């Protein structure tokens, strides 16, 4: 090497090697490597470093590591080159191992390793290494800050990002455009729109990266119009437009259309088509990223035909293109088209990925085809929590809560951690099914994952405990919530109303308004139900006035609750006046009004309203017939009730249930037409409802029919063996007919079977509240006499 000839040969090999690096010529590089070995230059650090660089660029990590290991005295460049080669090849573990082995590290070493971790999905490790670098006194560069700010954005670690921002200001990199764009991107990803805007406004000369990042931030924050205006400004100011910027603004167009779905102008589509024309002008129409964004824009704007046309005319498509189109079918709930597209995808040689199956899963769920959705779910090798949630949601939408619970158990067995959506979905199923114990297990799972304090989950817990009968625990969770939204308030109000704790429901409703939370239709429907439970007409009128003030009076469910409230408070005329003024009625509204007439003994008006309902477009349901048949029973309209029962299946296609038959049998029994009542019982498809036989037995007791009474009582002995009522009623029937031996036999049978007669109660109402006494309480007479004497002396009445 000392001679001129040796130096010339060395320089020649170095030049050829550099050419191979530039052109990424692996075979030529291997030939040069052979010449280096033949010339005895393999120990030269400079040439070895170039070889590492060559093999790294040719994606041959094995050769690069082999060359590095053969260097007698590797310098810091050698170490940095092999660490960089390892990280770029995706072998981050090897890169970390080599980084730890490095005897001397410079800022490039730290940057290489931090960048590798940030890009490789190990953001927390990158942040930890960054803090170690700072503690060791190594001043970060703009590349360091860019990598770590990207990691902070991906982790949504806003506080760490702000600390990095502070250090950037301290070392003078806050005005470096590279760092400024990284800071802007970090704030945008963390959802801190205000900080992002401040950052953007402080950039002296924003470039296309700055503007694209800002557009993405605005779209994410819902400021779609501002994002489009920013793109227009970018275009007019002469800043270079690139495919990324075009794709970003197309996303804004899709969002604009979604937000203005009721606007016939379709501003989002018009803007998107303008951007498409601009993309053609700049020659981006063949860019796969832009093409996929255009398909996505058209599908989200509901223009699936245009999306299909664009898909078919793209010069090159990839898996993303197929996924976007399938997702578009999913948004429309067209599961058949989505599955057909999957078949085409296979035919054209494209292998579906997890996103494909998730999109198909969503399409099947939206179409209500839960079995097909489960089939797609099973094709995902390792479904993530999003996939599990989509399928769980599908089962809940189909009200197949039992399958949802089983699926959640399977999810736990496969060690997939639930997120807030998972827990909220399964808590909803527990509420519907009344699964208190399983709900407690879900509560425990939420505590383990620290999600029990999440607003979404806590509201679900309140709803679950209240609907499962543990209103005290529901209140405890509600009181511990540091933040409440309208859903959590409604869950608590509904819980109290559901358990007839009407005063408590009113208290929470008032607290809700005092806390500045505006009630919704659900809030009003629940609190109006409490008014009905309390039979408090003044409070009901007050709430009615508030619903009118807040614009909820015309809401069909609130209106139905108001009808029920007025009827239960005895003002059936006001209920009818409100019913007649409702702009929109559904079957629930009609049912409440018919039932209101039935409750208030207005059988004729109930039947009249029912017949009027039949002349409208609203179709009666099973509940409608229960209401009108109950009205007929209470009003003694026996024949009308039988007539209506006969029309249920024949004219309306509704199979009568036990409740419907019971109403008619009750009316026949009240009228003493027990032969017809028995004949109707014999025609019924199902006779295992105890209420049916209790009604019949009560009628027999009134009219002294021992034969039918005995039959009804014997049915009840089997269906409800511990119920004392049938024994007592049958015994009384025999006694009223003077059949004392039969009456004694029934009493003896009752004793033999260990059936105890329910004890009666008496109440004494005084200034300290109501005191109840059982009839077999030994001290009852003494205490009653003492209370009576004391109350008489004080002028207090006894009830």
């Amino acid at each position: 090497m000392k001679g001129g000839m040796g130096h010339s040969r060395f320089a020649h090999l170095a030049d050829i090697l550099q050419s191979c690096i530039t052109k990424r010529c692996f075979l030529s590089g291997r030939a040069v490597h052979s010449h280096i070995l033949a010339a005895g230059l393999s120990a030269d650090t400079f040439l070895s470093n170039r070889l590492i660089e060559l093999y790294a660029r040719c994606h041959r990590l094995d050769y690069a590591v082999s060359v590095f290991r053969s260097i007698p005295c590797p310098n810091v460049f050698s170490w940095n080159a092999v660490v960089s080669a390892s990280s770029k090849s995706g072998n981050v573990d090897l890169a970390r191992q080599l980084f730890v082995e490095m005897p001397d590290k410079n800022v490039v070493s730290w940057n290489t390793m931090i960048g590798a971790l940030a890009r490789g999905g190990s953001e927390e490790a990158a942040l930890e290494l960054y803090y170690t670098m700072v503690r060791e006194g190594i001043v970060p560069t703009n590349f360091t800050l860019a990598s770590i700010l990207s990691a902070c954005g991906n982790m949504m670690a806003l506080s760490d990002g702000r600390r990095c921002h502070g250090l950037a200001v301290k070392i003078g990199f806050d005005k470096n455009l590279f760092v400024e764009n990284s800071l802007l991107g970090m704030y945008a990803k963390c959802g801190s729109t205000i900080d992002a805007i401040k950052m953007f406004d402080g950039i002296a000369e924003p470039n296309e990266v700055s503007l694209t990042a800002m557009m993405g931030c605005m779209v994410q924050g819902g400021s779609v119009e501002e994002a489009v205006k920013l793109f227009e400004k970018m275009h007019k100011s002469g800043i270079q437009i690139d495919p990324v910027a075009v794709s970003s603004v197309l996303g804004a167009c899709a969002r604009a259309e979604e937000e203005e779905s009721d606007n016939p102008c379709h501003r989002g589509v018009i803007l998107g088509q303008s951007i498409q024309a601009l993309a053609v002008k700049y020659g981006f129409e063949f860019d796969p990223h832009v093409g996929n964004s255009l398909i996505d824009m058209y599908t989200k704007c509901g223009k699936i035909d245009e999306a299909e046309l664009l898909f078919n005319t793209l010069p090159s498509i990839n898996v993303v293109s197929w996924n976007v189109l399938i997702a578009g079918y999913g948004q429309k709930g067209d599961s058949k088209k989505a599955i057909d597209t999957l078949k085409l995808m296979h035919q054209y040689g494209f292998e579906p990925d997890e996103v494909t199956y998730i999109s198909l899963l969503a399409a099947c769920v939206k179409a209500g085809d839960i079995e097909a959705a489960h089939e797609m779910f099973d094709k995902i090798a390792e479904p993530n929590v999003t996939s599990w949630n989509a399928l769980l949601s599908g089962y809940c939408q189909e009200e197949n809560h039992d399958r949802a619970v089983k699926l959640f158990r399977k999810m736990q067995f496969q060690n997939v951690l639930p997120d807030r959506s998972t827990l909220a979905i399964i808590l909803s199923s527990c509420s519907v099914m009344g699964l208190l114990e399983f709900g407690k297990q879900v509560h425990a799972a939420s505590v383990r994952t620290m999600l029990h304090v999440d607003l979404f989950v806590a509201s679900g817990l309140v709803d679950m405990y209240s609907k499962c009968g543990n209103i005290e625990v529901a209140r405890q969770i509600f009181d511990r919530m540091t933040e409440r939204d309208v859903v959590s308030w409604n869950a608590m109000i509904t819980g109290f109303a559901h358990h007839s704790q009407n005063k408590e429901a009113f208290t929470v409703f008032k607290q809700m308004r005092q806390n500045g939370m505006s009630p919704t239709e659900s809030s009003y429907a629940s609190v109006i139900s409490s008014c009905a439970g309390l039979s408090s007409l003044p409070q009901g009128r007050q709430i009615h006035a508030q619903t009118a003030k807040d614009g909820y009076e015309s809401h069909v469910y609130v209106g139905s609750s108001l009808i029920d409230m007025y009827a239960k408070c005895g003002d059936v005329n006001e209920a009818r006046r409100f019913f007649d003024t409702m702009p929109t009625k559904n079957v629930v509204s009609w049912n409440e009004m018919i039932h209101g007439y039935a409750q208030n003994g207005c059988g004729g008006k109930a039947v009249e309203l029912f017949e009027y309902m039949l002349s409208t477009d609203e179709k009666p349901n099973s509940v409608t017939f229960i209401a009108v048949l109950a009205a007929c029973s209470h009003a003694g309209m026996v024949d009308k009730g039988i007539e209506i029962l006969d029309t249920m299946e024949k004219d309306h296609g509704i199979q009568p249930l036990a409740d419907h038959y019971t109403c008619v049998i009750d009316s026949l029994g009240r009228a003493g037409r027990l032969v017809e009542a028995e004949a109707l019982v014999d025609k019924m498809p199902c006779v295992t409802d105890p209420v049916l036989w209790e009604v019949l037995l009560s009628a027999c007791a009134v009219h002294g029919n021992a034969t039918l009474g005995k039959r009804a009582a014997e049915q009840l002995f089997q269906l409800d063996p511990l119920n004392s009522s049938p024994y007592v009623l049958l015994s009384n029937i025999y006694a009223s007919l003077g059949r004392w031996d039969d009456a004694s036999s029934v009493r003896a049978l009752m004793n033999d079977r260990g059936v105890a007669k329910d004890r009666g109660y008496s109440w004494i109402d005084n200034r300290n509240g109501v005191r109840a006494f059982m009839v077999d309480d030994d001290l009852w007479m003494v205490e009653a006499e003492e209370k009576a004497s004391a109350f008489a002396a004080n002028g207090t009445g006894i009830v």
Side-chain angles (χ1 to χ4, degrees):
M1 286 294 296
K2 292 182 181 179
M5 184 66 71
H7 177 75
S8 175
R9 188 176 184 185
F10 176 88
H12 180 64
L13 289 171
D15 288 342
I16 296 174
L17 193 54
Q18 185 58 53
S19 177
C20 292
I21 292 171
T22 303
K23 296 177 181 178
R24 298 185 182 183
C25 296
F26 174 70
L27 294 178
S28 300
R30 286 284 292 147
V32 175
H33 191 175
S34 299
H35 282 294
I36 290 172
L37 292 171
L41 298 174
S42 60
D44 185 85
T45 304
F46 178 82
L47 290 177
S48 296
N49 290 346
R50 298 286 76 74
L51 284 169
I52 294 171
E53 188 178 354
L54 165 71
Y55 291 134
R57 296 201 69 181
C58 293
H59 307 293
R60 295 305 302 263
L61 178 62
D62 50 346
Y63 282 96
V65 173
S66 176
V67 171
F68 171 77
R69 296 297 187 193
S70 69
I71 303 174
C73 299
N75 59 18
V76 69
F77 187 92
S78 312
W79 284 97
N80 288 343
V82 75
V83 169
S84 176
S86 302
S87 65
K88 288 177 181 178
S89 297
N91 196 335
V92 179
D93 291 336
L94 177 59
R96 292 184 76 170
Q97 178 187 334
L98 291 166
F99 178 80
V100 171
E101 293 175 6
M102 285 182 72
D104 298 305
K105 302 180 183 74
N106 60 12
V107 70
V108 175
S109 315
W110 291 93
N111 286 351
T112 301
M113 196 62 243
I114 290 170
L117 292 169
R119 288 190 304 273
S122 302
E123 289 89 353
E124 290 185 10
L127 191 59
E128 183 181 344
L129 192 62
Y130 163 76
Y131 285 133
T132 303
M133 173 185 179
V134 173
R135 282 195 298 270
E136 292 191 8
I138 298 171
V139 180
T141 67
N142 56 339
F143 296 106
T144 322
L145 293 169
S147 295
I148 209 62
L149 287 168
S150 174
C152 291
N154 291 337
M155 292 191 298
M156 298 188 73
L158 184 58
S159 58
D160 289 299
R162 283 181 172 148
R163 289 176 66 182
C164 293
H165 191 173
L167 183 60
V169 173
K170 183 178 179 180
I171 61 179
F173 277 119
D174 57 312
K175 295 303 177 184
N176 179 283
L177 184 58
F178 191 51
V179 175
E180 286 178 314
N181 286 340
S182 299
L183 283 165
L184 175 57
M186 181 274 294
Y187 284 125
K189 287 179 182 177
C190 291
S192 183
T193 307
I194 295 174
D195 287 319
I197 291 172
K198 287 180 180 177
M199 193 69 230
F200 180 78
D201 290 341
I203 300 176
E205 296 183 3
N207 60 5
E208 65 275 11
V209 177
S210 321
L211 289 157
T212 303
M214 196 63 225
M215 276 193 294
C217 179
M218 287 176 171
V219 172
Q220 183 180 337
S223 303
V224 176
E225 203 67 37
E226 287 77 1
V228 175
K229 288 178 181 177
L230 191 61
F231 181 80
E232 291 173 354
K233 178 183 176 182
M234 180 179 179
H235 181 230
K236 290 176 182 177
S237 62
I239 295 175
Q240 182 182 355
I241 304 290
D242 62 6
V244 177
V246 172
S247 297
S248 182
V249 77
L250 284 170
C253 296
R255 186 76 173 265
E257 185 69 21
E258 288 177 336
E259 291 182 356
E260 299 177 13
S261 56
D262 296 330
N263 188 343
C265 295
H266 298 297
R267 175 165 167 73
V269 176
I270 295 169
L271 284 170
Q273 289 171 338
S274 300
I275 302 300
Q276 184 178 7
L278 189 66
V280 173
K281 177 183 176 182
Y282 281 99
F284 298 151
E285 73 272 24
F286 300 129
D287 183 271
H289 196 55
V290 172
N292 293 337
S293 297
L294 280 166
I295 297 170
D296 182 58
M297 184 272 295
Y298 279 121
T299 57
K300 286 180 178 174
C301 292
K303 302 291 183 180
I304 196 69
D305 292 338
E306 285 84 346
E308 290 174 343
L309 180 63
L310 184 64
F311 177 86
N312 292 327
T313 56
L314 282 177
S316 63
I317 54 174
N318 52 25
V319 173
V320 176
S321 315
W322 290 97
N323 290 348
V324 171
L325 188 61
I326 289 170
Y329 292 129
Q331 288 164 5
K332 289 188 65 179
D334 193 342
S335 58
K336 184 180 183 304
K337 226 23 180 332
I339 294 171
D340 288 344
T341 305
L342 173 67
K343 294 175 182 176
L344 276 175
M345 187 177 180
H346 280 296
Q347 289 175 14
Y348 282 96
F350 288 89
E351 192 65 32
D353 59 12
E354 185 172 347
V355 176
T356 315
Y357 289 117
I358 291 174
S359 299
L360 283 161
L361 170 60
C364 295
V365 167
K366 190 162 186 178
D369 190 351
I370 194 65
E371 295 305 322
H374 207 138
E375 185 181 338
M376 293 303 159
F377 177 83
D378 290 338
K379 291 182 179 180
I380 303 173
E382 294 182 5
N384 59 17
V385 69
T386 304
S387 308
W388 285 95
N389 289 348
L391 192 58
L392 281 168
S393 176
Y395 279 121
C396 285
Q397 287 173 25
E398 294 297 308
E399 297 186 1
N400 194 339
H401 299 287
D402 184 55
R403 288 288 296 274
V405 169
K406 290 178 181 176
L407 187 67
F408 178 72
R409 289 184 185 276
K410 184 178 178 181
M411 178 181 177
Q412 289 180 303
F413 290 142
Q414 295 192 11
N415 296 320
V416 179
L417 281 177
D419 63 7
R420 61 199 296 262
S421 298
T422 320
L423 296 172
I425 292 167
I426 205 63
L427 284 170
S428 174
S429 291
C430 292
S431 298
V432 174
M433 297 179 71
L435 300 177
L436 179 59
E437 292 305 315
F438 189 71
K440 289 178 179 179
Q441 294 176 30
V442 178
H443 188 178
S446 72
V447 173
R448 285 196 301 271
T449 54
M450 295 302 293
L451 287 169
H452 63 294
V453 294
D454 178 86
L455 176 62
F456 203 37
V457 176
S459 297
L461 287 168
V462 171
D463 182 64
M464 183 276 294
Y465 278 112
S466 63
K467 287 182 179 174
C468 290
N470 203 333
I471 193 69
E472 294 80 11
V473 175
R475 184 60 195 258
Q476 290 171 11
I477 295 171
F478 180 80
D479 289 340
R480 286 198 299 264
M481 292 176 70
T482 56
E483 180 187 4
R484 301 185 187 106
D485 63 359
V486 70
V487 176
S488 47
W489 284 101
N490 285 350
M492 198 69 251
I493 295 167
T494 304
F496 279 129
H498 181 72
H499 290 280
S500 300
Q501 297 187 23
N502 301 305
K503 290 182 179 178
E504 290 81 357
F506 264 106
T507 301
V508 176
F509 179 76
K510 290 177 182 176
Q511 290 173 349
M512 176 184 182
R513 293 181 67 90
Q514 289 167 0
N515 280 270
M517 191 69 64
S518 298
T520 64
E521 59 270 17
S522 177
S523 319
Y524 279 120
S526 296
V527 80
I528 290 167
S529 173
S530 293
C531 293
L534 292 168
S535 296
S536 176
L537 190 57
Q539 283 182 315
R541 291 187 188 280
Q542 183 182 3
I543 299 297
H544 186 176
Q546 289 179 4
T547 63
K549 181 180 177 182
D550 290 347
Y552 287 110
E553 185 186 34
S554 59
H555 192 281
V556 67
Y557 290 108
V558 174
S560 300
S561 298
L562 285 167
I563 294 168
D564 179 58
M565 183 273 296
Y566 280 120
K568 284 181 178 174
C569 291
D571 196 345
V572 70
N573 293 327
E574 183 60 32
R576 181 56 189 266
R577 274 194 294 271
F578 181 77
F579 174 83
D580 289 339
T581 59
M582 286 180 70
T584 304
K585 302 179 184 74
N586 64 4
V587 69
V588 177
S589 317
W590 288 91
N591 291 351
E592 292 292 1
M593 192 63 246
I594 295 169
H595 186 239
Y597 277 134
Q599 287 175 312
N600 287 274
C602 305
K605 290 185 177 180
V607 172
E608 182 183 337
L609 184 61
F610 169 73
E611 290 176 343
Y612 176 57
M613 178 185 183
L614 297 181
S615 67
T616 68
D617 293 334
E618 195 67 59
K619 301 300 179 186
N621 61 13
S622 182
V623 177
T624 315
F625 283 100
I626 291 175
V628 71
L629 290 172
C632 292
S633 175
H634 295 161
M637 302 170 67
V638 185
D639 293 328
K640 191 65 179 178
I642 295 172
E643 178 188 329
I644 292 172
L645 180 68
D646 290 340
T647 65
M648 280 185 65
E649 189 168 10
K650 183 174 63 176
D651 296 343
H652 304 285
I654 298 174
Q655 179 73 38
L657 304 175
D659 288 341
H660 301 103
Y661 286 108
T662 301
C663 289
V664 177
I665 289 167
D666 181 47
S667 68
L668 288 167
R670 289 170 186 261
R673 295 161 61 172
L674 296 178
V675 175
E676 293 174 72
E678 185 176 15
L680 184 59
V681 169
D682 291 336
K683 286 198 318 183
M684 287 176 57
C686 181
V687 290
T688 57
D689 185 4
V691 177
L692 164 72
W693 294 106
E694 286 175 6
V695 167
L696 190 59
L697 180 58
S698 297
C700 292
V702 172
H703 297 285
N705 189 323
T707 304
L708 184 56
K710 182 182 179 182
R711 178 186 174 188
E714 288 175 344
Q715 289 287 337
L716 285 168
F717 294 162
Q718 296 177 15
L719 294 171
D720 194 2
L722 297 180
N723 185 2
S724 63
S725 297
Y727 294 94
V728 174
L729 284 171
L730 183 59
S731 175
N732 290 344
I733 292 173
Y734 286 138
S736 68
L737 296 173
R739 297 168 57 176
W740 303 109
D741 291 341
D742 291 330
S744 297
S745 297
V746 173
R747 294 282 183 173
L749 180 64
M750 181 178 174
N751 292 330
D752 291 343
R753 292 179 177 178
V755 179
K757 182 181 177 182
D758 294 336
R759 292 181 290 180
Y761 289 85
S762 293
W763 285 268
I764 295 179
D765 192 1
N766 62 28
R767 70 189 67 183
N768 297 318
V770 177
R771 175 77 182 275
F773 299 92
M774 293 182 185
V775 294
D776 62 346
D777 192 333
D778 294 337
L779 300 178
W780 184 83
M781 286 301 294
V782 176
E783 291 185 359
E785 289 172 0
E786 291 176 355
K787 292 288 183 181
S789 300
F791 295 161
N794 294 327
T796 306
I798 302 175
V799 179

